[in-house]
Amino acid sequence: MGRRRSRTGGTARVAPWRARARSSVILLLALAALSCQTPARPRPTGDPAALRYNLTYVREPEHAIDVEVVLAKGSPREFLFSEPGGVDTVHVWSDDGQVRSLRVHEDGLRLPAGTRFLRYRYALDARIRQHGPGFFIGVGDGDARHVAGREYLIRPRVVTPDLRVELYLEGVDALLPWQPGEGGLYRLRGEDLVDSGFHGFGGRRCQVQLPDAVLDVAILGRFSRLDDASICAWLRQAAEEVRTVRRAFPYPRISVRVIPASARRGSGLFGMVQWSSPPSVSILVGRDTDATSFKRDWVAVHELLHLTHPVILPRVPWLSEGLATYYTEVARSRSGRQSAQRAWEELVDGFARGRAQAGGRTMEEVVAGSPYSLGVYWTGALFALHLDVELRRVTENKRRLEDVLELLAERGPTSTFGAFGAAVDSVAGQPLFGALLERHLRRPSFAEAEGLLEALGVRTDTGEVKLVPARDSLLREALDGRRTRGAGF
């Protein structure tokens, strides 16, 4: 904030002792006001080990989230924010009635012995104004707001497997990754505080019902040429395309938040998945877009396709983004939203743009750089295509990359890079993954593209893409052809 100006235009000056006195009075009044607030809401009986989070959505004078955490005997005493910086001060109340104000440091804070509960405010609008809107710190339109849970939810430094958490929210209709139980109470595990996903407050709701899943959707703002039904239909289309890659939609329920982006045209401008349990997805959409733009949109299906593969730990961005980028084109072809010809034009164009960004670097050098560069996405997509083709080739077109995803899904929502490779070899019935990866890593990025496309019958030597008969053209037709859910499984 700037310094206050006097009526004459100069900077108003206050005697130092008066300034100190005024500051002391303000602090005492603030602490008194906090102390006069209603007592901490009690925890439900029968679960003495639970942490209780009471959230209140505040609208005046600006949007904010007030957080109260009620501790039980034996609750953790060391807390932190997974993403520090959003909250400076936490006020703690002790059993003896004493109130303390603790500064939050990057490494967290330790609560004094006897702490009963703590309170703080996450100033949504102030954060947005200071740092600009964003998926994590906050973005909003009208009365609706979006924020990542990791930004405003304090959590224990050490989260044990048996830690139980209860969360209650009032003041707004919210879409969180989890579903509330009776009376609006969320019963969570401690790990839900670590991967807490995206949260939407206010806005409007629609629901996409699939035969095997539900997408709960929050529309967090107004669009000039889109109605809610068009947005839900767009997400339904993307979800159905995911079902051409997997036998069933990967999760029985997910939550999706759609946020208008000011002064931008186009459909899905940017999206992101957070691996909460279940996953939560958020997508920015141009405020002035219309429903016809959704016909060519790729962002929604790309983000939902991330749900088809496990979380690779530690993260391997080129593999996860490569899988989603490859299947973005294939799934849209399988659903009929774009022709096979168009799908290959998009893949060839993506490989060309990735090659230009990569320069003469090897794939190994490209993926060691920025994890979300154009070269990383498209060298990963080329490897995914090559892997799919080789799996089909060595099994006489009986097995494919989707079988790897199904096998991994049976083993759980997380995996490792080594386990991914082992699953490929298991589906192939022979060692395959390591040798193919070595071919890509050691050579200049996209060096494998020309021979692979030629074998598939994807000709690019005339300045345009043509699909012609070739050695592996039957494999090409099998991977890009129209299909419905479960076809060929």
Side-chain angles (χ1 to χ4, degrees):
M1 295 177 64
R3 293 178 293 179
R4 183 176 299 174
R5 293 279 176 176
S6 69
R7 292 182 181 178
T8 60
T11 301
R13 300 184 65 184
V14 180
W17 69 267
R18 289 183 178 176
R20 288 193 296 271
R22 181 178 298 174
S23 298
S24 299
V25 170
I26 291 173
L27 177 61
L28 289 171
L29 288 174
L31 290 174
L34 286 168
S35 299
C36 292
Q37 290 179 356
T38 56
R41 300 179 186 88
R43 295 178 301 276
T45 59
D47 194 7
L51 284 172
R52 172 68 180 248
Y53 285 71
N54 297 307
L55 311 182
T56 303
Y57 188 66
V58 177
R59 293 177 171 84
E60 298 294 340
E62 291 188 320
H63 292 88
I65 305 171
D66 282 345
V67 180
E68 175 187 76
V69 184
V70 184
L71 280 67
K73 184 178 181 181
S75 293
R77 286 298 184 268
E78 292 190 19
F79 281 74
L80 54 75
F81 289 92
S82 296
E83 196 67 37
V87 176
D88 295 328
T89 304
V90 171
H91 306 285
V92 299
W93 276 252
S94 300
D95 287 329
D96 58 7
Q98 188 174 4
V99 182
R100 298 179 177 88
S101 297
L102 304 181
R103 295 288 296 176
V104 178
H105 303 285
E106 285 197 5
D107 57 350
L109 57 87
R110 182 175 180 83
L111 303 180
T115 298
R116 284 180 50 229
F117 61 93
L118 58 90
R119 288 172 175 158
Y120 62 88
R121 170 169 288 190
Y122 184 84
L124 263 168
D125 285 357
R127 291 279 291 166
I128 295 170
R129 187 168 55 251
Q130 181 180 2
H131 299 282
F135 273 160
F136 287 91
I137 65 170
V139 63
D141 184 70
D143 189 44
R145 293 293 181 272
H146 176 287
V147 66
R150 63 187 295 122
E151 289 280 338
Y152 78 93
L153 286 176
I154 199 168
R155 66 170 178 87
R157 176 184 296 279
V158 177
V159 175
T160 58
D162 61 342
L163 179 65
R164 295 179 298 279
V165 177
E166 292 159 343
L167 186 147
Y168 182 76
L169 171 67
E170 60 184 6
V172 70
D173 178 25
L175 181 61
L176 308 185
W178 323 286
Q179 287 184 294
E182 185 178 355
L185 183 68
Y186 296 83
R187 295 187 180 275
L188 310 176
R189 303 162 300 171
E191 61 193 64
D192 290 322
L193 298 174
V194 179
D195 294 317
S196 48
F198 286 134
H199 300 182
F201 300 95
R204 305 175 307 286
R205 302 289 181 269
C206 67
Q207 193 175 73
V208 175
Q209 292 275 358
L210 303 174
D212 48 16
V214 170
L215 278 64
D216 284 324
V217 182
I219 303 169
L220 302 179
R222 296 288 177 181
F223 295 90
S224 62
R225 296 190 288 173
L226 273 180
D227 58 25
D228 294 356
S230 297
I231 292 172
C232 242
W234 164 57
L235 294 173
R236 175 185 294 278
Q237 171 76 38
E240 290 288 3
E241 288 167 344
V242 169
R243 298 170 77 241
T244 71
V245 175
R246 290 284 304 276
R247 291 193 178 99
F249 196 81
Y251 294 86
R253 174 189 172 271
I254 65 166
S255 58
V256 183
R257 281 139 292 271
V258 179
I259 310 114
S262 300
R264 298 286 297 274
R265 297 183 66 87
S267 52
L269 298 170
F270 181 72
M272 188 176 291
V273 175
Q274 285 287 285
W275 294 104
S276 47
S277 183
S280 50
V281 178
S282 294
I283 305 175
L284 288 174
V285 175
R287 187 184 301 278
D288 298 323
T289 195
D290 57 34
T292 60
S293 298
F294 288 148
K295 294 178 181 178
R296 291 297 308 278
D297 176 73
W298 60 269
V299 174
V301 67
H302 179 95
E303 297 308 324
L304 295 183
L305 280 166
H306 276 300
L307 307 180
T308 65
H309 64 76
V311 183
I312 307 296
L313 298 174
R315 307 283 186 176
V316 185
W318 71 262
L319 180 58
S320 59
E321 293 299 342
L323 288 167
T325 301
Y326 165 59
Y327 277 121
T328 294
E329 306 310 329
V330 170
R332 289 192 294 167
S333 175
R334 291 174 178 177
S335 73
R337 185 149 64 103
Q338 68 180 5
S339 66
Q341 171 81 22
R342 183 62 185 171
W344 288 103
E345 289 172 352
E346 293 284 354
L347 286 168
V348 168
D349 178 68
F351 297 155
R353 289 185 288 120
R355 188 198 302 265
Q357 196 271 340
R361 293 177 294 166
T362 65
M363 177 185 175
E364 189 171 35
E365 291 170 330
V366 170
V367 301
S370 172
Y372 301 108
S373 68
L374 194 64
V376 167
Y377 277 61
W378 284 105
T379 195
L382 175 61
F383 182 77
L385 167 61
H386 203 170
L387 191 58
D388 197 4
V389 170
E390 287 301 304
L391 280 166
R392 293 168 186 269
R393 187 182 60 79
V394 301
T395 62
E396 298 180 342
N397 213 9
K398 295 176 183 176
R399 307 300 296 275
R400 51 202 177 182
L401 185 53
E402 292 98 290
D403 293 310
V404 176
L405 302 181
E406 294 293 339
L407 178 59
L408 290 168
E410 294 173 3
R411 299 173 178 175
T414 63
S415 187
T416 64
F417 187 72
F420 185 94
V424 170
D425 293 347
S426 176
V427 169
Q430 64 184 65
L432 174 64
F433 184 80
L436 187 64
L437 180 60
E438 187 71 15
R439 282 173 57 180
H440 281 258
L441 285 176
R442 303 303 181 194
R443 301 186 67 191
S445 295
F446 304 96
E448 294 284 339
E450 185 175 353
L452 176 61
L453 294 173
E454 181 179 353
L456 290 170
V458 181
R459 291 187 57 183
T460 60
D461 55 353
T462 60
E464 59 180 312
V465 175
K466 292 183 179 180
L467 306 182
V468 299
R471 186 193 73 186
D472 292 333
S473 55
L474 291 179
L475 303 184
R476 184 198 73 222
E477 292 168 359
L479 70 86
D480 67 21
R482 290 290 299 271
R483 68 177 64 178
T484 57
R485 174 184 175 263
F489 282 104

